[in-house]
Amino acid sequence: MSTIIDGLSLGAIYALIALGYTMVYGIAKMLNFAHGDIIMVGSYVIFSVFAFGGHPIIAIASSVVVCTLLGVLIEKVAYKPLRGASPLAVLITAIGVSYLLQSIAQLIFGAKSQPVNMGSFDVLNIAGIDINVSTIITLAVGAVIMAALTLFVKFTRTGRAMLAVSEDRAAAQLMGVNVNRIIMITFAIGSALAACASVFYLMQIPSTSPTLGSMPGIKAFTAAVIGGIGSIPGAMIGGILLGVIEKIALSIPALNPYTTAIEFSLLILILLIKPIGLLGKKRREKV
């Protein structure tokens, strides 16, 4: 049972990252492969604040602010000029931004891993199951964030504008929606979620490096595709499913070395059965 709970905790982290991928794709129709590196930036912001003796709350708030501003800057400088470009050009740019962020982090902080102590957490025994407090925090805060995002998208003016842009950008623009502003807000929200994910990730693995966000980013993208790229509930389900499967595989000695292969095999299997993902929607292409 503790393995399942740990899997839910890891899945919540993947879901938060996957939400950034799926929101950007759903609204801007682009894959932001630099999104995983926003997690790395968030972790280094926390590391820097701790290095100057800052409080954990200040470190977390600083991480969210810096990552949000960075997401907006990347969208404005790297992606906005390519708004009408081919998908391949945007994809290559995203990969370039990813390597740029990693290289800058390596120049500033070095290539070696740096320890980041988010504090010690007690272990609680609930119904005979030992659960780390960090796991409870991750599950609780992750659930609140995902519920708040769902309510935001469904019931706020900006959220409904996001849905409109996602369905038909040209029609939304004719109805008075500022598409550029909506895409900027989407990048800001996705980057803020990545900063939150970096906090939870550091609770599990208390160290950071320039490549910290690479594998979590790839797995979160996998989760987004499994759930149905462009679907917010799908990203949540895909993240949780991937986290649980990973923890179960790691807990079985015979499967442990093949954990990553099992995760990507799941992606292939689901895409063979349902190419649009679990909750993906078929879109009609206009000609």
Side-chain angles (χ1 to χ4, degrees):
M1 189 63 186
S2 61
T3 301
I4 300 295
I5 294 173
D6 289 341
L8 291 173
S9 174
L10 180 61
I13 297 173
Y14 288 156
L16 287 175
I17 308 170
L19 283 169
Y21 277 111
T22 206
M23 287 180 67
V24 169
Y25 180 82
I27 294 170
K29 298 297 181 290
M30 62 161 289
L31 295 174
N32 179 23
F33 279 113
H35 186 66
D37 296 287
I38 301 291
I39 305 168
M40 175 270 295
V41 172
S43 68
Y44 272 118
V45 172
I46 294 173
F47 168 77
S48 300
V49 173
F50 282 164
F52 288 98
H55 192 274
I57 300 298
I58 297 175
I60 294 170
S62 300
S63 176
V64 172
V65 170
V66 170
C67 288
T68 302
L69 294 176
L70 179 61
V72 172
L73 179 65
I74 289 173
E75 189 278 328
K76 188 174 183 63
V77 174
Y79 299 140
K80 187 177 179 181
L82 299 175
R83 197 63 52 82
S86 67
L88 181 60
V90 178
L91 179 62
I92 293 172
T93 301
I95 295 172
V97 172
S98 172
Y99 282 113
L100 174 64
L101 292 176
Q102 291 182 25
S103 299
I104 291 173
Q106 187 170 343
L107 286 172
I108 296 173
F109 299 101
K112 293 183 179 180
S113 296
Q114 302 284 353
V116 183
N117 184 14
M118 293 297 296
S120 58
F121 298 93
D122 296 330
V123 176
L124 301 179
N125 188 283
I126 301 175
I129 302 172
D130 290 333
I131 305 175
N132 197 299
V133 172
S134 65
T135 299
I136 298 174
I137 294 172
T138 302
L139 285 172
V141 178
V144 169
I145 291 173
M146 287 185 275
L149 179 62
T150 302
L151 294 174
F152 172 80
V153 170
K154 285 187 175 182
F155 298 109
T156 67
R157 184 183 180 90
T158 302
R160 289 194 294 268
M162 287 179 173
L163 292 176
V165 174
S166 175
E167 288 295 328
D168 193 322
R169 185 187 300 181
Q173 196 164 13
L174 289 173
M175 295 299 293
V177 175
N178 188 333
V179 173
N180 288 330
R181 176 176 171 271
I182 293 301
I183 292 177
M184 182 191 71
I185 292 173
T186 303
F187 269 85
I189 293 174
S191 299
L193 293 175
C196 295
S198 72
V199 175
F200 300 139
Y201 200 76
L202 289 175
M203 288 181 180
Q204 295 196 10
I205 304 175
S207 65
T208 183
S209 68
T211 57
L212 171 73
S214 297
M215 187 53 71
I218 292 172
K219 290 184 178 181
F221 174 70
T222 301
V225 175
I226 288 174
I229 191 76
S231 168
I232 291 177
M236 298 177 188
I237 293 173
I240 296 297
L241 180 63
L242 202 67
V244 171
I245 289 174
E246 180 173 331
K247 285 297 183 180
I248 291 175
L250 288 172
S251 67
I252 301 174
L255 299 179
N256 192 317
Y258 310 105
T259 300
T260 302
I262 291 170
E263 291 174 296
F264 291 115
S265 297
L266 173 67
L267 170 65
I268 296 171
L269 178 63
I270 288 178
L271 291 181
L272 286 173
I273 298 172
K274 194 174 183 184
I276 58 175
L278 296 176
L279 299 183
K281 295 180 180 179
K282 288 185 178 180
R283 296 180 181 271
R284 292 181 179 179
E285 295 292 333
K286 295 182 179 180
V287 295

